[in-house]
Amino acid sequence: MLYNRFENRTVINGIIEAVDPIHIGASTKESLNPVDMDDHVLKDSNGNPIIPGSTIKGVVRSRFEAVMLSLGKNVCNIFNNNDKKCADKNTIYEINKSKISDEEKAKKLYNKSCDVCKLFGGRAIAGKLRFKDCSFIGEKCAYEKRDGVGIDRVTGAATCGFKYNFEIIPKGTCFDFTLIAENLDKQQMKYLDFIIKMLEGNSIAESDYLSVGGKTTRGLGRIKLKDIKRTTIDREELKKQMLKQLEV
Ligand SMILES: [Zn+2]
């Protein structure tokens, strides 16, 4: 982020605690496959569990989208390339081929985008929220195993005799959490407050925690954010700090 485009930066630090056991599968394929006998959770190079920032971002975005939609706010369907509520395919094409500076293009694309894309990123713009990967807090994770029953993919019926194990991260496991938000306007600062409340499981719109990973219908996956520390630095403050660093 160049200084001339810098308005502010807010960093949210905290701890994500597993309210339920969690299963974020290491394999990309659907874990219901009965042949996949040992379904492991995603781990870092030390063998400890990790919650990808993209996973947190995904669940936060979809819950936030649902709330915005229920309030009648301008929210696009990201899977529909022609949704006029946002910078659609044609608009993006027109803006990109116009003879204006890249900065002007970026500004136009941003202004055409819906409130959710402005914050989380969309077809033509980068988002303003960056969720870092959440790393395990502690020495070694005490994984547990659960029995699963193979489900026939076509009929959805339990496949007789097919049993498999899946690994879970026990309830109470804690992870580092960092969210970096850049150049939020006043409205987006309010949205950020709301998103933090959602992560705490404490928003007025929803009484339940957000869930990550698979098998959430089996009571897995709920997480909560706690011990939150929040710092915001604005343009003036950043300038002061940069000048100080450059002092001879
Ligand atoms: Zn959008």
Side-chain angles (χ1 to χ4, degrees):
M1 176 70 50
L2 291 172
Y3 176 70
N4 60 1
R5 293 186 204 143
F6 184 91
E7 298 296 335
N8 58 63
R9 178 186 297 132
T10 300
V11 179
I12 310 288
N13 285 113
I15 292 171
I16 289 275
E17 185 188 327
V19 177
D20 302 317
I22 301 178
H23 176 88
I24 298 174
S27 68
T28 48
K29 58 180 183 279
E30 197 40 65
S31 54
L32 292 174
N33 188 346
V35 182
D36 189 10
M37 297 300 276
D38 224 7
D39 195 1
H40 293 283
V41 304
L42 190 63
K43 296 179 181 113
D44 63 19
S45 53
N46 296 319
N48 281 320
I50 189 164
I51 307 177
S54 56
T55 298
I56 304 272
K57 185 178 175 179
V59 295
V60 168
R61 179 177 185 142
S62 83
R63 181 76 67 92
F64 183 69
E65 251 174 32
V67 172
M68 294 286 276
L69 275 171
S70 72
L71 295 173
K73 299 268 187 193
N74 202 36
V75 180
C76 79
N77 174 357
I78 194 86
F79 300 109
N80 178 0
N81 278 330
N82 300 312
D83 195 331
K84 295 283 174 210
K85 293 197 196 83
C86 205
D88 67 320
K89 227 168 77 186
N90 281 338
T91 312
I92 295 170
Y93 177 76
E94 292 299 328
I95 292 175
N96 278 331
K97 76 167 189 188
S98 59
K99 297 211 177 328
I100 51 175
S101 71
D102 284 353
E103 197 160 350
E104 278 299 307
K105 283 178 190 170
K107 213 180 267 173
K108 278 197 167 186
L109 288 168
Y110 176 82
N111 288 332
K112 286 275 180 193
S113 299
C114 77
D115 281 3
V116 175
C117 287
K118 277 177 182 162
L119 215 46
F120 290 87
R123 253 172 240 109
I125 56 167
K128 294 186 169 191
L129 303 181
R130 202 148 45 85
F131 293 81
K132 290 203 171 178
D133 291 344
C134 305
S135 50
F136 175 77
I137 302 174
E139 285 289 304
K140 271 276 164 254
C141 179
Y143 296 105
E144 292 166 16
K145 290 270 181 192
R146 286 271 173 99
D147 285 335
V149 176
I151 305 283
D152 188 298
R153 284 199 192 216
V154 182
T155 63
T159 337
C160 270
F162 272 116
K163 280 236 170 171
Y164 71 101
N165 287 321
F166 63 91
E167 195 174 41
I168 53 168
I169 303 161
K171 161 181 173 175
T173 303
C174 289
F175 297 84
D176 277 326
F177 175 85
T178 305
L179 166 58
I180 300 159
E182 262 173 357
N183 292 349
L184 301 192
D185 62 25
K186 275 190 180 146
Q187 176 64 76
Q188 289 168 336
M189 282 289 189
K190 286 279 179 194
Y191 290 155
L192 179 64
D193 292 343
F194 184 80
I195 285 166
I196 294 163
K197 287 253 180 269
M198 266 177 17
L199 279 161
E200 287 178 292
N202 203 11
S203 81
I204 39 169
E206 292 277 351
S207 55
D208 206 359
Y209 299 113
L210 294 168
S211 294
V212 292
K215 305 181 198 317
T216 53
T217 51
R218 295 189 45 164
L220 262 59
R222 289 183 307 162
I223 52 162
K224 72 171 178 200
L225 179 62
K226 59 180 196 180
D227 300 346
I228 298 164
K229 280 183 217 85
R230 177 181 182 140
T231 48
T232 298
I233 175 171
D234 63 10
R235 209 181 155 83
E236 279 315 299
E237 183 56 35
L238 181 73
K239 189 174 179 180
K240 246 189 262 169
Q241 288 187 16
M242 284 168 74
L243 286 172
K244 207 168 170 191
Q245 272 187 6
L246 296 174
E247 249 170 44
V248 218

